[in-house]
Amino acid sequence: MKTFAKTLAVIGLCVASLQAPVAHAERLKDLASIAGVRQNQLMGYGIVVGLDGTGDQTTQTPFTVQSIAAMLQQMGVSLPAGTNLQLKNVAAVMVTTSLPAFAQPGQMLDVTVSSMGNAKSLRGGTLLMTPLKGADNQIYGMAQGNILVGGVGAQSPGGGASVVVNHLSVGRISGGATVERAVPNALGEGGQIRLELNSTDFATASRVVEAINGKYGAGIAYALDGRVIRVQAPSASDQRVTFIGQLEEIDVRPAALAAKVIMNARTGSVVMNQAVTLQTCAISHGNLSVSVSADPQVSQPNALSGGQTAITQPGSVDIQKAPGKVLMVQGGAVLGDVVKALNAIGASPQDLLAILQAMKASGALRAELEII
């Protein structure tokens, strides 16, 4: 009997552990970022040459002709006045990339090349030297190279039929840009660094401060607000790098998220987090559908009557209304109960958006609604 009682006790503990929510700790690296360690967007205007007749139609994209004329003039080639260039192998493009944190001159970057005219394809083209500028209009990189397009297109000689696989007006150059200027970084100036949480949460910020001070001592970290935490760091660069690396590996148990329901009105998607709860409520739901159809009929005149064949399309309208019914939706304290209650309604995704809004207005849905 004692052995049987112990077995029941162990089973009861296992079931209780499965039902209780487990709080998972996360690395500080996944919860916050370090102020000043960020990417910078770069952009440039360039020319792609060497296309197989799939470039811009120069009569409709005059900026392509102007770019070619300006480039030739810089190379000492002067075009006669009034020259009308008819180019088929050239396309105007925009070149974009991201300059990573602490990037140094000479480092290679991948770039994306996107057509800005009416070029049919950039496949097989070569990007000419293009300066990449930042938000301050300073040049931070230079891009050039052969474009790789992840698609293929084919067209019949007469132009009547064509087949296109994937997107042909955007390509990529691996290692196609070289960093020419480094971005100044003030990381650790004054013996301090700032941690910025990915989402504002006062409870999580407090737990981060407790975790850091618990490892390094009281007063090392203190929160400025619900998002920013200031941490004392070593003044020497090598010690500071080691300190930040250890800091990012600290495990912190984040606070529970606020209850939120995200609704996409265009696709009918509904996503909710684990904190959403539901109060008991009654819902009436019904559908009204209208179907309009046309049945073509041919009226053939008698022989030698001199009449003409006539085609008529009498229309018919069918209205169907599903009977409205009132459903009792039981409240739920966990997400699984909320899903079961919403599935019991039997509404379409688009109707569910309106039902959730009405439930929120009545106070039955305990969550914040966000429509994207």
Side-chain angles (χ1 to χ4, degrees):
M1 291 295 294
K2 292 183 179 180
T3 304
F4 180 71
K6 290 181 179 179
T7 303
L8 289 179
V10 171
I11 294 175
L13 290 175
C14 293
V15 173
S17 62
L18 290 175
Q19 292 178 348
V22 180
H24 297 283
E26 299 184 21
R27 295 182 305 171
L28 187 57
K29 179 187 297 185
D30 301 325
L31 296 175
S33 59
I34 301 175
V37 181
R38 47 158 291 180
Q39 294 182 341
N40 291 277
Q41 306 300 322
L42 302 181
M43 180 180 66
Y45 170 80
I47 294 294
V48 172
V49 298
L51 301 176
D52 188 13
T54 59
D56 292 338
Q57 298 179 9
T58 52
T59 56
Q60 301 177 4
T61 55
F63 49 85
T64 304
V65 179
Q66 294 175 3
S67 301
I68 291 296
M71 180 187 67
L72 293 177
Q73 186 174 6
Q74 292 179 357
M75 295 182 175
V77 179
S78 298
L79 297 176
T83 302
N84 185 16
L85 297 179
Q86 297 294 330
L87 307 175
K88 295 183 179 180
N89 302 333
V90 179
V93 295
M94 297 301 297
V95 184
T96 57
T97 188
S98 295
L99 184 67
F102 311 116
Q104 298 299 316
Q107 182 176 342
M108 307 301 291
L109 303 176
D110 296 343
V111 297
T112 301
V113 183
S114 306
S115 172
M116 61 178 300
N118 52 11
K120 297 180 181 179
S121 174
L122 297 181
R123 187 178 181 87
T126 300
L127 175 70
L128 299 183
M129 188 169 56
T130 303
L132 302 177
K133 299 182 179 181
D136 56 357
N137 206 31
Q138 298 294 322
I139 297 177
Y140 289 90
M142 298 295 293
Q144 182 171 283
N146 297 325
I147 303 174
L148 177 63
V149 177
V152 64
Q155 187 173 2
S156 63
S162 62
V163 176
V164 177
V165 179
N166 293 337
H167 205 61
L168 302 180
S169 58
V170 177
R172 192 169 179 84
I173 306 176
S174 298
T178 305
V179 178
E180 300 294 337
R181 177 184 300 183
V183 178
N185 193 287
L187 178 65
E189 285 190 355
Q192 295 179 342
I193 61 173
R194 295 199 312 168
L195 298 177
E196 298 177 350
L197 296 180
N198 298 333
S199 59
T200 301
D201 192 290
F202 289 95
T204 302
S206 176
R207 294 181 183 184
V208 170
V209 172
E210 292 177 359
I212 296 175
N213 290 336
K215 181 175 182 178
Y216 295 102
I220 296 297
Y222 58 95
L224 299 181
D225 47 41
R227 190 182 188 94
V228 181
I229 301 167
R230 184 167 293 175
V231 182
Q232 301 290 336
S235 57
S237 60
D238 57 340
Q239 297 178 1
R240 184 168 60 248
V241 170
T242 303
F243 173 75
I244 294 176
Q246 297 174 353
L247 194 68
E248 291 181 332
E249 295 299 324
I250 296 178
D251 291 332
V252 179
R253 184 173 59 87
L257 298 175
K260 180 176 289 188
V261 177
I262 307 297
M263 302 189 304
N264 191 324
R266 295 182 295 273
T267 62
S269 304
V270 178
V271 179
M272 58 189 71
N273 60 16
Q274 191 174 2
V276 176
T277 59
L278 189 65
Q279 301 297 320
T280 303
C281 61
I283 298 174
S284 177
H285 175 68
N287 290 324
L288 177 66
S289 61
V290 179
S291 176
V292 180
S293 61
D295 184 16
Q297 297 181 0
V298 179
S299 177
Q300 183 69 28
N302 296 328
L304 304 177
S305 63
Q308 295 181 353
T309 301
I311 300 177
T312 60
Q313 293 185 353
S316 61
V317 179
D318 183 21
I319 301 177
Q320 296 181 356
K321 182 178 181 181
K325 55 182 178 179
V326 179
L327 300 177
M328 180 71 173
V329 179
Q330 298 294 334
V334 296
L335 181 60
D337 296 336
V338 176
V339 173
K340 292 179 182 178
L342 294 178
N343 287 335
I345 299 175
S348 64
Q350 293 295 339
D351 293 336
L352 188 58
L353 301 180
I355 292 175
L356 288 174
Q357 288 180 327
M359 293 173 66
K360 173 63 177 177
S362 67
L365 181 65
R366 299 298 178 87
E368 176 187 354
L369 284 180
E370 182 177 345
I371 301 177
I372 60 177

